[in-house]
Amino acid sequence: PVRFIGNRSSGKQGYAIASACAEQGASVCLISGPVTLEAPLNVRLIKVETAQQMKQACADELNVDCVICAAAVADWQIKQTANSKLKKSNNKLPELILTETPDILSWIGQHPSRPKLVIGFAAETDSIKKNAEDKRARKNVDWILANSVIQSGKTVFNSDINEILFLSNTEVEYWDTDSKQAIAQKLVRRISNYFSDVRGYDVQKKDSI
Ligand code: CTP
């Protein structure tokens, strides 16, 4: 009831993408963990607190053309959360037993009814291209936007700028440092071009992004 395991992500990149999609006329559902950002305009916002809740919300909203997984979901969770505050006792350190959280992107990527375009992120400290390529293949993702956690000596978390290595099954493209809004707009242009190029695909048949 008092302390929790969190992470350093601000949610700014995900919110900027949701906003850019809505500005381009997409019907957008934003499934968001706990952040302090204001909801973007014209976006249906679903707030969640745990990886399980996020997975359930994604399952409920799976019937979409495109999914973009930008959340920094924790990889581990406490096996049994405490009902009462953990008190210091006898100078003994508590042992926190961890279990894995569901990998939501991987679950979506491999789902038989997966959206047509599945996009993920990869936050890396080392071997960015190799790790991101492995992640793309392992999770069955169409596009990965990889970024270095440290950019120009500063952490990308809570920053207003980002620098991306874009990977698809045929392309590797470097996106120079830019605002998170500009990165979002660039991604949305690409998504838009992708759907205009897929012959015979009716974007209207599904509800939203
Ligand atoms: N992701 C997810 N569910 C998780 C963990 C990650 O959906 N439990 C998604 C993120 O939203 C992101 C992608 O998977 O789109 C990669 O996340 P990242 O933190 O870079 O990598 P991990 O999958 O956690 O792998 P590793 O810790 O080995 O880098």
Side-chain angles (χ1 to χ4, degrees):
V2 182
R3 298 192 174 87
F4 61 90
I5 297 179
N7 68 65
R8 304 178 69 182
S9 171
S10 63
K12 283 181 185 172
Q13 187 63 80
Y15 272 55
I17 293 170
S19 176
C21 288
E23 272 166 28
Q24 289 305 310
S27 164
V28 182
C29 171
L30 171 60
I31 300 168
S32 167
V35 295
T36 54
L37 302 169
E38 262 187 49
L41 284 178
N42 302 320
V43 160
R44 190 159 52 85
L45 178 64
I46 300 177
K47 282 274 204 177
V48 296
E49 288 193 348
T50 66
Q52 268 80 9
Q53 289 169 3
M54 184 169 270
K55 183 179 171 193
Q56 185 56 55
C58 289
D60 295 343
E61 300 288 335
L62 201 60
N63 187 29
V64 295
D65 298 302
C66 173
V67 61
I68 306 157
C69 291
V73 187
D75 291 327
W76 303 284
Q77 64 194 357
I78 299 285
K79 191 168 180 192
Q80 190 126 41
T81 50
N83 292 322
S84 311
K85 188 183 177 199
L86 300 180
K87 305 295 285 180
K88 284 191 283 291
S89 60
N90 308 328
N91 294 328
K92 249 181 81 191
L93 291 173
E95 270 182 28
L96 302 179
I97 315 245
L98 301 178
T99 57
E100 278 196 11
T101 55
D103 189 320
I104 303 162
L105 177 59
S106 184
W107 177 80
I108 294 173
Q110 287 164 75
H111 197 284
S113 316
R114 94 203 257 289
K116 175 89 184 146
L117 183 60
V118 176
I119 306 173
F121 273 74
E124 307 292 346
T125 51
D126 314 280
S127 313
I128 298 176
K129 183 161 173 273
K130 159 125 199 10
N131 281 330
E133 266 167 356
D134 289 352
K135 236 169 239 184
R136 203 186 72 75
R138 193 171 68 242
K139 302 193 187 200
N140 197 30
V141 170
D142 299 298
W143 300 351
I144 283 266
L145 277 70
N147 56 10
S148 172
V149 167
I150 306 295
Q151 298 184 5
S152 318
K154 289 194 194 142
T155 168
V156 70
F157 299 118
N158 208 27
S159 155
D160 290 320
I161 54 170
N162 210 348
E163 185 187 354
I164 297 290
L165 191 66
F166 173 93
L167 302 172
S168 70
N169 63 340
T170 51
E171 300 144 297
V172 178
E173 205 177 279
Y174 171 68
W175 295 1
D176 205 353
T177 307
D178 216 330
S179 68
K180 287 185 175 173
Q181 278 78 11
I183 299 277
Q185 283 154 6
K186 191 167 179 144
L187 176 64
V188 174
R189 273 198 301 278
R190 208 176 183 110
I191 294 171
S192 197
N193 290 340
Y194 170 88
F195 281 109
S196 4
D197 287 351
V198 184
R199 255 182 259 153
Y201 183 74
D202 179 8
V203 181
Q204 301 303 323
K205 84 179 158 66
K206 299 221 177 146
D207 295 336
S208 55
I209 284 185

